[in-house]
Amino acid sequence: MSVWIDEKLCNGCRRCLKACPYNAVEVEEGKARILERCTSCGACLAECPQSAIFTDIEPRSIPDFSDRKGVWVFAEQEEGRLMPVSLELLGKASELAAELDEDVSALLLGSRVSGLAPTLLEYGADRVYLAEHRALKVYRTLAYTRVVSELIEELRPGIVLMGATTVGRDLAPRVSRRVGAGLTADCTGLAIDPEERILLQTRPAFGGNVMATIANRYSRPQMATVRPGVMEPRRRQGGKGRVIRRKVSLLEKEIGVKLLERVKEKRKGEALSRARVVVAGGRGVGDRTGFRALERLAAVLGGEVAGTRVAVEEGWIPQDRQVGQTGLTVRPELYVACGISGAIQHRAGMMGSRYVIVVNRDPRAPIFQVADWGIVGDLRDVVPEMTKRLKRVLGR
Amino acid sequence: MIRSDAEALVRKTMARFVDSELAPRAKEIDEAGEFPGEIFRRIGRMGVYGIRYPRDRGGSGGNTTLYCIICEELARGLMSVAAITAMQCLMGTNFLFHFGSPEMIEEYFLPAMRGEKVASFCLTEPEAGSDLGNVNTRAVPDGDGYRIDGMKTWVTNGPVADFFTVLCQTDPAKRLKGVNFFFIPRDTAGVSVSKPFDLLGTRTTKISELAFTDVRIPRRYMLGGEGQGMRNLMSILAEIRCMTAALAVGLQQAALNDSIRYAHERAQFGSTIGRYQMIQGKIADMATDLDASRLLTYRATRMIDEKISCIKEASMAKYFATEAACRAGDKVTRILGAYGYSMEYSAQRYYRDNRFLLYGGGTHEILRQNIARWAGL
Amino acid sequence: MNIIVLIKQVPDTTEVKLDPRTGNLIREGIDSVMNPDDRHALEAGLRLKESGGGKVTVLSMGPPQAIDVISEALGMGADRGVLLTDRAFAGADTWATSHTLGKAVEKIGDYDLILCGRQAIDGDTAQIGPQVAEYLGIPQVTYVFGMEEVKGRSMTVRRRIEAGYERLRVSLPALFTVTAEANSPRDPVIGSLLAACGAKAPIQVWDAADLGMTTAQVGLEGSLTHVIRTFPPKSQRAGEILEGSPAQAVEDLVGRLKERNLI
């Protein structure tokens, strides 16, 4: 079982190289070559304009899923409050359902949570499956898995979405394995392929260095967890859906886990990871006093100060303010990167920011590649100027 | 059968330690100028000090090649830590391991392997450096043991060591044939240690003078048979030279890495300096020097592991790699421009630390004489 | 307590570089390392063994080179290593991987606890732990950062959640995914590392046939999801350089922030 290239036909156009999700093609001296790590996935076959790629793999047959309909959203609640991601998912689900001409259902599990159902209807659910039980009061893997899996097996949806939260990332893989479905984690983009009418799931890989689009052709439902804060919630006028109550019977002993206590704790870096604005500094800030200027800018913007590993190692800011691979991952609305060259490890921690402003002396600094707006200049001039002007604009 | 390659695995393990623990703190450790006790003990817990000794006798079951790989990697992080480690693995413990009584093994050798005791080696005297026949520290039979009197200098780890292996003269008339190694614990009466020397490089390696005044030790503290000192020293001389060469290889690698990184980052006249041929020339010379040093070094270590005599090969490796390390220390400080002159950057440390390698294991003046002779002159 | 730790060899993403021209990942010359979270899982396992006895077995699936993470784990103190390697395993998604690992756990047998890292830095999916637990039909606790007492057939653990933490009592056997917060992993010991390279090392290597699996159940063929495209992520950003003096550039910037209601 393999894929090979007829050298005589290959013109070295490199399209196969770009198509390969596994980096298993190499072009040398004008000829493409398949490397050892090829998984025979066949992604290159259709791309070759010369039809120079051959395979002996038999195409895998796709089962008939025409009876699988409906887009489901797991409506996560904690202590009777809906997690924002649940409403964001309903917004996306409505969009996907419209394209498929199907409808949207929300799964609401908990104890005395029926009051949340109207909100779900308002934000796009055509139907809310409500499962209330004392054993569902606090999230526990096996209890939730059982209820969700039974609903899926009985009602056979085509798509199931969950938030990539602590709960969602615990529950989704468990459910997917139980119902025999493929699952894509931590998606930042979802779309329907117009021809195949399947869900295309896009997610970052390798610490955000690469985006990958993943399809789930061979099983249903197509399951994905979605990063909070990426999709837009959409409220609609007069939600007209229905609430359907489901009977639940659960025994404590089959849940395997008993909650002894739940401790609320303010954690280091929490303010930073939740900040709407982050002003971050790197080597270019120069010293501790340089960070004072960043602090003043952050104060005007109502944000938090952070730094790169270098800034932490130099002792300019404390360790719990480090952003990057070995520090925190932040996803603010606005990230202001000052004097940061943009090593990949740092970028991994801030790529999810909505908007990025870069101030750097070196126009070739890689950080500019992830900037929405860049200012090439000395941050000692630019940052105080920003502070001054914003103060005036914001009247602070 | 699928198994890891031992050399690659040990290198990777040490590289990880160097990159995550040692290199990030190298500047701080070097500036503090104190014996890095915590790092020393941690390297001990990793079983590094036993790399040359068999596993069933308290070692780690490695060989000279693995020993030198470890020295090289540590030197890439910080030369002084590498030097301290090199001492602990080889000169500081070798004769104790081979000739110590079971009680001495239990009380000193095994703790040294775990990093709980620091070992040291005393060869040089004020009047005897390369000329060891001139050793003046006397060991005189005295009742059931020996009485030691004399002075040693350039004792690596001197101020912090728990025990010393000391080259003494038992019969001055016999010159080289009269020298022997003796084991002397630090807490023996009559042992006094000077203040550490103020040094140009390897500033956390504590080096001092040692004075022995009427020091009395039992007979079993003589390591090796009567008159065997020089022979014993010769048995590890090639290995000492390989180790020094490996330290030089590590320093060159660090200097080359910093040079390349800087040449990629620094832009002048609208282009990174790495695009200029003068810089490329320096980098090419450093890379070639490094490769040649590495080949010479590990050719010799493999000969030692195969028990092939290789004093010529080891001497060439030590000579070439050390000179190359000096060149690398020079080049890196040029490539970095004025930053090479700043104490903020590591380049200056490579420039200073490379000098440490010139003296131990034979000066190049002597080595070159010997090499010329072996070449047939 | 007999513990199986699932470990993975991953590219060292701290070294991952992008080709500045194509934006593609350069994978050549990048070191492979033990996944950082897995190292914490292994450390947790070794500490449990030290306090309560038992054995630690490490299990990994990957190419033959992945033997290095097994050797390293033995160097840290694991008692036995199992490497699952087979050309047919390549391209596996989490479905196929959890199936394969699950089969191997069953073949190892006699376990009280399975530990794995919270997630792997190359995939970041955090799915393997729960999926293996489901395959085996045992309880799971994810995001574990503290292990308290073992009492008979149950154990008390601390689980990190957004608002703080939970203390849970779990019946054994169970599977935990462990976070970096749990501990600081020990260095490997050179002597044990060298022993792990020897012929007599307690390492077994199994392929699909050893697990009683067909090629249709493993690797790409046994997967339910497939990567159909990869691309560099930067395209989403406008990347506009604001020209002029600092004052002009800043004025320009403030205008844009206002436009988007960012201030």
Side-chain angles (χ1 to χ4, degrees):
Chain A
M1 207 188 72
S2 65
V3 174
W4 66 92
I5 294 173
D6 186 333
E7 277 211 3
K8 286 195 273 318
L9 298 174
C10 176
N11 65 358
C13 74
R14 308 176 79 91
R15 263 178 234 186
C16 49
L17 191 144
K18 292 206 178 82
C20 178
Y22 299 96
N23 268 20
V25 191
E26 180 175 85
V27 176
E28 235 174 37
E29 294 172 8
K31 299 286 176 193
R33 200 160 62 87
I34 307 266
L35 303 176
E36 181 79 348
R37 60 170 163 264
C38 171
T39 61
S40 307
C41 77
C44 52
L45 290 163
E47 294 292 321
C48 181
Q50 299 289 107
S51 301
I53 311 179
F54 297 86
T55 180
D56 53 8
I57 316 162
E58 290 183 22
R60 192 164 150 192
S61 62
I62 298 174
D64 176 22
F65 290 125
S66 54
D67 64 325
R68 308 296 300 235
K69 284 203 175 7
V71 182
W72 284 18
V73 168
F74 171 71
E76 184 181 340
Q77 56 82 25
E78 197 181 287
E79 294 175 2
R81 275 193 306 274
L82 279 172
M83 300 294 267
V85 69
S86 307
L87 303 183
E88 294 161 19
L89 287 179
L90 282 173
K92 190 68 193 181
S94 308
E95 212 178 279
L96 301 172
E99 274 183 63
L100 292 165
D101 201 18
E102 294 175 5
D103 51 22
V104 176
S105 304
L107 307 185
L108 181 58
L109 278 64
S111 172
R112 301 180 193 202
V113 290
S114 58
L116 301 173
T119 314
L120 298 172
L121 297 174
E122 204 176 307
Y123 278 85
D126 300 304
R127 212 175 287 118
V128 175
Y129 292 106
L130 173 65
E132 289 186 307
H133 192 283
R134 235 174 342 154
L136 297 173
K137 186 169 193 308
V138 180
Y139 171 79
R140 279 179 297 168
T141 311
L142 291 179
Y144 273 57
T145 302
R146 182 152 148 221
V147 173
V148 173
S149 304
E150 282 175 3
L151 276 167
I152 290 174
E153 276 163 354
E154 184 188 330
L155 301 167
R156 306 170 70 73
I159 293 174
V160 175
L161 307 177
M162 298 190 189
T165 57
T166 309
V167 167
R169 299 186 91 192
D170 186 88
L171 176 64
R174 189 92 200 192
V175 169
S176 78
R177 184 80 227 177
R178 188 165 297 182
V179 303
L183 166 67
T184 306
D186 225 10
C187 297
T188 52
L190 294 174
I192 299 295
D193 180 90
E195 280 165 34
E196 269 190 85
R197 299 177 67 74
I198 55 170
L199 184 66
L200 300 180
Q201 305 147 341
T202 298
R203 67 182 304 264
F206 286 101
N209 295 311
V210 176
M211 303 298 289
T213 300
I214 291 159
N216 195 338
R217 288 197 179 99
Y218 304 99
S219 64
R220 291 293 183 277
Q222 304 165 80
M223 289 186 66
T225 62
V226 177
R227 221 175 243 200
V230 179
M231 307 298 177
E232 299 273 339
R234 251 172 257 181
R235 202 175 182 151
R236 59 179 185 185
Q237 298 301 322
K240 53 180 175 354
R242 294 190 294 141
V243 177
I244 301 164
R245 273 183 186 278
R246 302 284 306 185
K247 270 220 175 71
V248 178
S249 65
L250 279 169
L251 294 172
E252 269 301 320
K253 72 171 191 332
E254 55 186 312
I255 299 173
V257 169
K258 188 166 175 236
L259 180 72
L260 302 178
E261 62 174 329
R262 213 158 208 235
V263 180
K264 294 220 164 107
E265 205 177 47
K266 249 212 154 9
R267 289 165 63 199
K268 277 186 177 175
E270 183 168 310
L272 183 56
S273 53
R274 294 196 174 177
R276 220 181 60 86
V277 177
V278 173
V279 180
R283 192 192 295 277
V285 176
D287 50 26
R288 205 172 297 194
T289 38
F291 264 89
R292 297 269 177 277
L294 268 51
E295 279 161 21
R296 283 191 286 273
L297 176 59
V300 172
L301 287 165
E304 298 282 333
V305 178
T308 62
R309 200 177 64 134
V310 174
V312 171
E313 275 170 9
E314 293 290 343
W316 300 338
I317 54 158
Q319 169 100 55
D320 58 12
R321 301 216 154 242
Q322 181 183 329
V323 167
Q325 185 112 51
T326 48
L328 283 170
T329 300
V330 295
R331 297 193 183 88
E333 287 286 295
L334 187 62
Y335 190 86
V336 189
C338 307
I340 294 174
S341 66
I344 243 154
Q345 299 88 292
H346 179 74
R347 277 151 59 184
M350 49 69 73
M351 294 278 278
S353 306
R354 181 125 179 260
Y355 289 99
V356 176
I357 299 173
V358 169
V359 181
N360 202 304
R361 255 195 313 210
D362 179 4
R364 281 173 309 273
I367 189 81
F368 280 108
Q369 290 168 20
V370 294
D372 291 283
W373 305 292
I375 297 179
V376 180
D378 193 327
L379 63 95
R380 284 166 200 77
D381 305 328
V382 178
V383 170
E385 182 68 33
M386 280 167 75
T387 312
K388 196 173 81 186
R389 192 164 287 264
L390 285 167
K391 242 186 200 161
R392 204 179 318 144
V393 172
L394 298 168
R396 283 182 196 160
Chain B
M1 183 166 31
I2 299 177
R3 288 291 183 271
S4 296
D5 176 69
E7 289 177 14
L9 194 64
V10 166
R11 186 180 285 279
K12 204 160 143 180
T13 302
M14 293 315 293
R16 197 183 122 76
F17 173 77
V18 166
D19 293 332
S20 63
E21 307 294 329
L22 187 56
R25 293 175 54 200
K27 180 166 181 274
E28 172 203 336
I29 297 170
D30 186 58
E31 281 172 3
E34 298 293 332
F35 180 76
E38 181 208 328
I39 290 222
F40 178 83
R41 287 185 290 275
R42 183 154 170 195
I43 295 174
R45 285 194 296 274
M46 290 174 76
V48 162
Y49 303 137
I51 187 67
R52 298 172 56 257
Y53 303 118
R55 230 184 153 199
D56 55 3
R57 296 176 60 194
S60 296
N63 57 23
T64 301
T65 300
L66 290 165
Y67 167 53
C68 287
I69 286 172
I70 289 172
C71 290
E72 179 196 327
E73 282 300 321
L74 289 173
R76 189 171 60 76
L78 183 59
M79 180 60 76
S80 54
V81 166
I84 293 164
T85 303
M87 164 65 75
Q88 187 83 359
C89 295
L90 176 56
M91 297 83 80
T93 53
N94 186 69
F95 301 115
L96 173 63
F97 171 77
H98 285 290
F99 305 116
S101 67
E103 299 75 36
M104 289 158 77
I105 296 289
E106 194 63 38
E107 195 179 343
Y108 295 100
F109 177 77
L110 296 178
M113 292 298 102
R114 296 191 294 263
E116 293 157 12
K117 280 192 168 18
V118 181
S120 180
F121 189 59
C122 314
L123 219 56
T124 305
E125 297 181 4
E127 301 302 325
S130 301
D131 181 9
L132 289 175
N134 221 15
V135 159
N136 258 329
T137 300
R138 282 293 308 270
V140 179
D142 173 63
D144 265 354
Y146 290 92
R147 198 186 72 229
I148 315 274
D149 284 284
M151 181 112 173
K152 289 285 175 183
T153 189
W154 293 106
V155 179
T156 298
N157 287 351
V160 290
D162 296 290
F163 60 86
F164 305 92
T165 299
V166 185
L167 188 71
C168 301
Q169 182 61 265
T170 45
D171 187 348
K174 291 190 182 160
R175 292 199 38 95
L176 279 177
K177 290 202 173 72
V179 295
N180 279 293
F181 284 110
F182 288 86
F183 176 78
I184 306 180
R186 160 68 173 268
D187 52 15
T188 314
V191 175
S192 61
V193 181
S194 78
K195 274 210 273 191
F197 299 163
D198 197 13
L199 303 171
L200 171 68
T202 58
R203 293 183 60 85
T204 64
T205 311
K206 298 285 105 180
I207 298 182
S208 67
E209 284 181 334
L210 222 56
F212 302 100
T213 319
D214 199 15
V215 173
R216 283 160 203 267
I217 52 168
R219 181 169 294 275
R220 65 174 188 282
Y221 279 10
M222 183 161 88
L223 301 173
E226 179 88 42
Q228 299 293 300
M230 211 52 210
R231 218 183 104 164
N232 288 331
L233 178 61
M234 294 313 283
S235 73
I236 59 165
L237 190 59
E239 201 170 0
I240 292 173
R241 290 185 179 160
C242 285
M243 171 271 286
T244 314
L247 296 177
V249 169
L251 186 136
Q252 289 179 62
Q253 183 74 63
L256 178 63
N257 292 351
D258 282 18
S259 300
I260 292 173
R261 194 178 317 125
Y262 188 80
H264 269 308
E265 278 170 10
R266 174 74 170 175
Q268 287 291 285
F269 307 106
S271 161
T272 56
I273 62 169
R275 312 202 103 174
Y276 297 120
Q277 289 185 349
M278 289 291 209
I279 300 293
Q280 290 168 6
K282 287 190 178 63
I283 302 252
D285 290 351
M286 288 167 90
T288 309
D289 263 352
L290 170 59
D291 227 20
S293 303
R294 202 171 259 142
L295 287 170
L296 283 172
T297 304
Y298 292 102
R299 174 181 67 163
T301 65
R302 284 179 212 294
M303 288 173 80
I304 293 176
D305 289 332
E306 284 163 29
K307 304 204 167 15
I308 301 169
S309 126
C310 64
I311 190 68
K312 178 178 93 175
E313 289 77 5
S315 305
M316 285 175 162
K318 193 266 168 177
Y319 164 53
F320 185 86
T322 300
E323 291 294 342
C326 293
R327 292 193 289 273
D330 178 42
K331 289 199 178 84
V332 63
T333 49
R334 290 170 192 256
I335 290 170
L336 264 72
Y339 294 109
Y341 195 57
S342 160
M343 295 305 278
E344 282 296 304
Y345 287 76
S346 303
Q348 50 78 24
R349 203 177 61 237
Y350 309 143
Y351 185 80
R352 290 184 289 115
D353 282 355
N354 64 38
R355 316 311 286 181
F356 170 79
L357 305 168
L358 284 170
Y359 324 109
T363 64
H364 293 190
E365 289 67 22
I366 300 252
L367 289 188
R368 289 162 80 193
Q369 268 184 351
N370 290 341
I371 292 169
R373 185 159 45 83
W374 293 320
L377 188 71
Chain C
M1 186 147 68
N2 288 332
I3 300 165
I4 299 173
V5 186
L6 308 184
I7 58 177
K8 184 182 188 186
Q9 190 180 49
V10 295
D12 185 355
T13 50
T14 58
E15 280 185 39
V16 167
K17 294 185 182 73
L18 297 186
D19 184 321
R21 257 178 335 104
T22 62
N24 285 333
L25 211 62
I26 304 172
R27 296 192 205 200
E28 264 63 45
I30 294 201
D31 263 356
S32 293
V33 296
M34 190 190 303
N35 181 52
D37 285 346
D38 301 356
R39 199 179 280 281
H40 294 278
L42 175 56
E43 177 66 31
L46 294 172
R47 290 186 190 184
L48 285 172
K49 177 181 99 167
E50 282 157 4
S51 63
K55 273 195 165 173
V56 173
T57 301
V58 289
L59 170 63
S60 187
M61 177 175 116
Q65 306 88 278
I67 189 70
D68 282 358
V69 294
I70 302 266
S71 305
E72 192 176 353
L74 294 185
M76 286 170 71
D79 299 284
R80 173 190 178 195
V82 177
L83 175 66
L84 311 178
T85 194
D86 194 317
R87 282 279 290 149
F89 292 155
D93 71 350
T94 64
W95 173 267
T97 304
S98 60
H99 190 184
T100 313
L101 290 171
K103 283 273 190 195
V105 168
E106 286 176 339
K107 188 171 157 98
I108 293 168
D110 189 24
Y111 58 88
D112 305 291
L113 188 61
I114 299 174
L115 298 174
C116 36
R118 178 189 55 130
Q119 63 186 41
I121 54 173
D122 55 348
D124 291 333
T125 70
Q127 287 173 194
I128 292 299
Q131 290 185 330
V132 169
E134 172 62 24
Y135 178 86
L136 297 168
I138 57 175
Q140 76 191 43
V141 184
T142 50
Y143 303 99
V144 170
F145 70 99
M147 298 183 196
E148 296 174 15
E149 42 159 17
V150 184
K151 217 162 146 192
R153 296 302 288 163
S154 74
M155 199 169 158
T156 305
V157 296
R158 290 173 184 232
R159 171 176 194 256
R160 182 55 72 193
I161 55 173
E162 271 107 349
Y165 67 88
E166 294 174 337
R167 280 182 65 236
L168 301 163
R169 168 108 71 224
V170 197
S171 64
L172 298 178
L175 179 146
F176 304 154
T177 77
V178 176
T179 70
E181 197 187 345
N183 51 45
S184 59
R186 66 196 64 193
D187 298 315
V189 172
I190 302 285
S192 311
L193 274 184
L194 293 177
C197 300
K200 281 185 277 179
I203 295 175
Q204 281 152 297
V205 180
W206 295 340
D207 62 12
D210 291 324
L211 298 176
M213 298 179 85
T214 65
T215 51
Q217 292 175 299
V218 301
L220 196 79
E221 265 197 90
S223 295
L224 299 178
T225 59
H226 296 90
V227 177
I228 54 175
R229 197 164 78 92
T230 57
F231 54 98
K234 62 185 175 193
S235 52
Q236 310 152 345
R237 306 221 181 259
E240 194 182 351
I241 301 285
L242 308 177
E243 312 277 352
S245 69
Q248 285 167 322
V250 167
E251 185 175 348
D252 217 356
L253 177 70
V254 172
R256 276 154 221 263
L257 295 180
K258 266 203 256 176
E259 254 170 49
R260 284 170 181 76
N261 288 325
L262 287 164
I263 50 171

